[in-house]
Amino acid sequence: MEQCASVEREVDKVLQKFLTYGQHCEQSLEELLHYVGQLRAELASTAVQGTPLSAPLSLVMSQCCRKIKDTVQKLASDHKDIHSSVSRVGKAIDRNFDSEICGVVSDAVWDSREKQQQTLQMAILEHLYQQGMLSVAEELCQESTLNVDLDFKQPFLELNRILEALHEQDLGPALEWAVSHRQRLLELNSSLEFKLHRLQFIRLLAGGPEKQLEALSYARHFQPFAHVHQREIQVMMGSLVYLQLGLEKSPYCHLLDNSHWAEICETFTRDACSLLGLSVESPLSVSFASGCVALPVLMNIKAVMEQRQCSGVWSHKDELPIEIELGMKCWYHSVFACPILRQQTSDSNPPIKLICGHVISRDALNKLINGGKLKCPYCPMEQNPADGKRIIF
Ligand SMILES: [Zn+2]
């Protein structure tokens, strides 16, 4: 943080100088133009072609030339000054940041270089597809000779096509998709299809009284959702009363709010991603953001390890040498720490639920077995260790 501040200070200096330079530059040029303009007027009125300049005019002219020269020189030296400030920013970055961060982990921890490169390329590719930058993704595919089959990119292409239509306020493709995935969306408790129909209905309402019949007949689409969205449907039906008067002047004017469109894009992205098993946020962005938080801590650890000459501590591929708190938004699933061993459970040491309902890790369970029997450490119920069931969070 401290390092950032010192670089930011230098950047601020450059920006400040740049601003003053711009203002100064504009001012000087304006003055010059004014001067030159005056001179030109003078010349036009007095000078006759072929006659030498009068003494006062020639004096004014030479003054003008000097002024131009001075101004240009001043601007050039200011420009040079900015250059040196910019290079100071570069030096501040070099001074405050480690240029070599690969060394934070020993090579033995990673996969082979080719494998790393391939993983990174795939992550970038997925990110590009997810962000809708399809042509850039295609180009990367060709240049990197990555073999991406259609099954991988198909969901992204489809989502993008539908989202693009939604941005254009075209509900057709999204409705078609939602209807064809109705059953699975319902299993996810998604209200996407209802929200799409609602928006379509509102759109008809916005058309005024002449759309009343059409809106009424469209309302039959709400029928399957009547039990879950009763209240919202009542609101929409109520709004019909005000159609003659104009919805925008009625208590229902909130229906016409443009925020519904942003909301539908969000709902669609979230529900479609969860249905297709994709993450809403790009894994690359999430990893990058997490890396930015974790890297300074890891750099410190590395320095400490080197100092104490215990570089062999970090040897596991799937585990950092210390726990790094990434904040709530990086919590994706519940974790369970064994109350006996005070260790987070893992695939090799999963949480086990005893028949009394208490949960401990398998390693703890194995340690507690005595003569083929297990006594729960919390409610001393005696039980058969084989009766414990693995819990999956
Ligand atoms: Zn118990």
Side-chain angles (χ1 to χ4, degrees), residues 42-188:
E42 199 113 353
L43 278 172
S45 64
T46 57
V48 182
Q49 277 205 336
T51 53
L53 287 175
S54 68
L57 201 57
S58 139
L59 183 70
V60 172
M61 197 120 170
S62 69
Q63 271 174 350
C64 185
C65 284
R66 195 170 330 122
K67 199 159 173 60
I68 291 177
K69 215 170 140 192
D70 287 351
T71 311
V72 171
Q73 237 160 27
K74 175 87 180 69
L75 290 180
S77 86
D78 281 357
H79 189 248
K80 228 185 215 164
D81 191 36
I82 289 190
H83 256 288
S84 69
S85 300
V86 170
S87 77
R88 267 203 292 280
V89 175
K91 279 181 199 141
I93 292 175
D94 288 348
R95 203 171 44 242
N96 289 294
F97 291 96
D98 291 87
S99 56
E100 180 55 46
I101 49 169
C102 300
V104 76
V105 193
S106 75
D107 267 351
V109 170
W110 302 124
D111 292 319
S112 70
R113 210 154 264 280
E114 296 78 57
K115 184 96 190 294
Q116 280 178 47
Q117 200 172 13
Q118 207 183 6
T119 312
L120 181 64
Q121 280 170 347
M122 276 314 278
I124 295 174
L125 202 64
E126 188 177 337
H127 177 81
L128 292 172
Y129 276 125
Q130 185 150 18
Q131 302 291 308
M133 293 184 238
L134 306 181
S135 56
V136 186
E138 293 296 326
E139 192 66 35
L140 178 65
C141 263
Q142 278 169 12
E143 285 185 17
S144 63
T145 62
L146 275 177
N147 250 334
V148 180
D149 57 23
L150 202 63
D151 287 351
F152 172 80
K153 56 183 177 185
Q154 192 56 40
F156 295 109
L157 298 182
E158 194 177 16
L159 291 193
N160 269 305
R161 182 178 61 84
I162 297 170
L163 269 176
E164 252 168 43
L166 279 182
H167 284 305
E168 306 273 312
Q169 306 209 339
D170 173 8
L171 290 163
L175 265 169
E176 207 178 293
W177 187 90
V179 170
S180 66
H181 292 86
R182 180 179 289 160
Q183 197 48 43
R184 291 182 59 202
L185 282 170
L186 285 178
E187 284 163 16
L188 289 171

Side-chain angles (χ1 to χ4, degrees), residues 159-311:
L159 291 193
N160 269 305
R161 182 178 61 84
I162 297 170
L163 269 176
E164 252 168 43
L166 279 182
H167 284 305
E168 306 273 312
Q169 306 209 339
D170 173 8
L171 290 163
L175 265 169
E176 207 178 293
W177 187 90
V179 170
S180 66
H181 292 86
R182 180 179 289 160
Q183 197 48 43
R184 291 182 59 202
L185 282 170
L186 285 178
E187 284 163 16
L188 289 171
N189 272 333
S190 156
S191 50
L192 177 67
E193 192 186 341
F194 170 72
K195 284 184 174 168
L196 287 166
H197 284 309
R198 188 175 68 162
L199 212 50
Q200 180 68 4
F201 181 81
I202 293 173
R203 185 175 236 197
L204 288 171
L205 291 185
E210 59 264 37
K211 290 280 184 185
Q212 186 170 11
L213 269 180
E214 209 179 318
L216 266 175
S217 102
Y218 194 82
R220 72 189 157 79
H221 285 104
F222 297 138
Q223 201 270 328
F225 308 98
H227 55 294
V228 186
H229 296 285
Q230 193 184 8
R231 172 100 189 86
E232 286 131 300
I233 295 171
Q234 279 169 351
V235 169
M236 281 185 285
M237 292 302 125
S239 70
L240 283 168
V241 177
Y242 287 90
L243 213 51
Q244 290 291 341
L245 197 74
L247 215 53
E248 60 283 349
K249 287 177 268 163
S250 77
Y252 293 94
C253 58
H254 64 272
L255 288 178
L256 300 174
D257 205 70
N258 245 344
S259 64
H260 292 302
W261 286 98
E263 192 195 320
I264 200 73
C265 289
E266 218 170 274
T267 310
F268 174 77
T269 310
R270 195 189 53 229
D271 293 356
C273 281
S274 111
L275 192 143
L276 295 168
L278 304 170
S279 56
V280 175
E281 263 184 282
S282 128
L284 185 66
S285 323
V286 175
S287 319
F288 183 76
S290 312
C292 289
V293 176
L295 210 52
V297 186
L298 293 178
M299 303 283 276
N300 286 342
I301 285 288
K302 187 199 167 212
V304 172
M305 280 183 182
E306 271 170 8
Q307 236 171 31
R308 305 201 179 155
Q309 300 184 331
C310 51
S311 51

Side-chain angles (χ1 to χ4, degrees), residues 354-359 375-381 383:
L354 307 178
I355 48 169
C356 54
H358 290 115
V359 183
K375 209 170 174 185
C376 170
Y378 288 96
C379 63
M381 188 196 270
Q383 51 200 291

